[in-house]
């Protein structure tokens, strides 16, 4: 896992945040029966960037291209041609969200038979300052009940995290900030 502070210049950070505030958002909720006692059901908004069904086109991905170019610059590897999905997430304030809790631990893409993550990488980019940490876990199977927490990272504007798709992770709703926005890139190996 690699964490990047101020992944892109401040102007690019601001442009991305503005673009996300203008894009159409679609309500989503996740129901699942493998919650641990520290998991709460998220209700949030999504946009599959570049997906016409979500009211966007490939041209709507333009504000996010600097993230991909920067990732290629800092890693020396190609990513643009390996994109599986670009997804924006918007969680609104939930004062009732219990402190220290998180949403359902998950893998972004996984094999339905083995319940293991498909080979690939994830880039999470935080578009605004917010409470609602991202939690990471030790176990590798999507159906793990009560996975072991290995760490949390704060939701800080301009921060990006690159990690392997085999790492279980979970978001959390903000209790204080008005909203929490991030962009999630999934890349195949």
């Amino acid at each position: 896992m690699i964490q990047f502070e101020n992944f892109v210049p401040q102007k690019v950070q601001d442009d991305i945040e503005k673009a996300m505030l203008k894009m159409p958002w679609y309500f989503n909720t996740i129901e699942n029966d493998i919650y641990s006692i520290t998991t709460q059901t998220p209700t949030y908004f999504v946009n599959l960037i570049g997906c016409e069904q979500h009211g966007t086109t490939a041209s709507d991905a333009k504000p996010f291209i600097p993230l991909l170019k920067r990732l290629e610059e800092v890693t020396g590897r190609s990513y643009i041609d390996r994109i599986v999905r670009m997804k924006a997430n918007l969680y609104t304030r939930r004062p009732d969200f219990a402190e220290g809790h998180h949403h359902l631990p998950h893998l972004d893409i996984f094999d339905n038979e083995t319940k293991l993550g498909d080979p690939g990488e994830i880039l999470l980019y935080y578009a605004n300052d917010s409470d609602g940490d991202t939690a990471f876990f030790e176990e590798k199977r999507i159906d793990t009940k009560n996975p072991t927490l290995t760490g949390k990272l704060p939701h800080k504007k301009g921060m990006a995290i690159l990690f392997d798709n085999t790492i279980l992770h979970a978001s959390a709703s903000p209790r204080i900030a008005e909203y929490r926005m991030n962009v999630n890139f999934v890349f195949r190996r």
Side-chain angles (χ1 to χ4, degrees):
M1 182 178 311
I2 306 170
Q3 180 180 337
F4 305 96
E5 299 285 334
N6 293 308
F7 188 56
V8 289
Q10 186 65 50
K11 182 181 180 336
V12 175
Q13 293 177 32
D14 293 341
D15 290 346
I16 289 170
E17 183 175 14
K18 287 175 192 169
M20 290 181 73
L21 288 170
K22 290 179 184 176
M23 69 174 42
W25 292 99
Y26 299 88
F27 183 75
N28 194 20
T29 187
I30 296 174
E31 296 291 336
N32 202 303
D33 64 354
I34 56 174
Y35 295 120
S36 69
I37 59 170
T38 58
T39 302
Q40 290 184 249
T41 303
T43 52
Y44 66 110
F45 298 86
V46 299
N47 187 305
L48 295 175
I49 301 163
C51 176
E52 289 182 8
Q53 290 176 323
H54 273 228
T56 63
T57 64
S59 65
D60 293 309
K62 187 176 180 179
F64 307 101
I65 298 302
L67 297 172
L68 297 168
K69 288 183 176 180
R70 178 70 176 141
L71 182 60
E72 291 182 341
E73 180 183 304
V74 299
T75 63
R77 300 190 315 250
S78 174
Y79 283 90
I80 291 176
D81 60 343
R82 297 190 294 128
I83 297 173
V84 174
R85 182 187 76 196
M86 288 181 8
K87 180 179 162 227
N89 298 303
L90 170 72
Y91 297 90
T92 57
R93 182 183 319 150
R94 294 256 326 257
D96 64 324
F97 197 83
E99 193 167 346
H101 284 211
H102 51 76
H103 300 141
L104 181 70
H106 65 278
L107 298 167
D108 289 356
I109 51 174
F110 62 93
D111 182 287
N112 280 321
E113 289 181 25
T114 66
K115 307 298 184 201
L116 296 171
D118 287 346
E121 292 176 284
I122 307 299
L123 179 73
L124 282 180
Y125 172 78
Y126 298 140
N128 70 310
D129 286 319
S130 177
D131 54 318
D133 295 346
T134 301
F136 297 91
F137 304 90
E138 184 177 318
E139 291 77 11
K140 303 292 183 197
R141 289 178 53 97
I142 191 78
D143 58 352
T144 301
K145 292 186 181 192
N146 301 314
T148 308
L149 181 70
T150 58
K152 290 183 177 186
L153 290 175
H155 191 91
K156 182 178 175 189
K157 181 176 178 172
M159 187 165 77
I161 307 156
L162 180 66
F163 59 97
D164 195 274
N165 185 56
T166 62
I167 297 175
L168 279 175
H169 57 284
S171 56
S173 293
R175 300 175 68 235
I176 300 164
E178 185 177 342
Y179 55 86
R180 175 189 192 270
M181 291 190 305
N182 71 284
V183 183
N184 174 305
F185 297 87
V186 178
F187 306 101
R188 68 179 153 295
R189 282 262 185 241

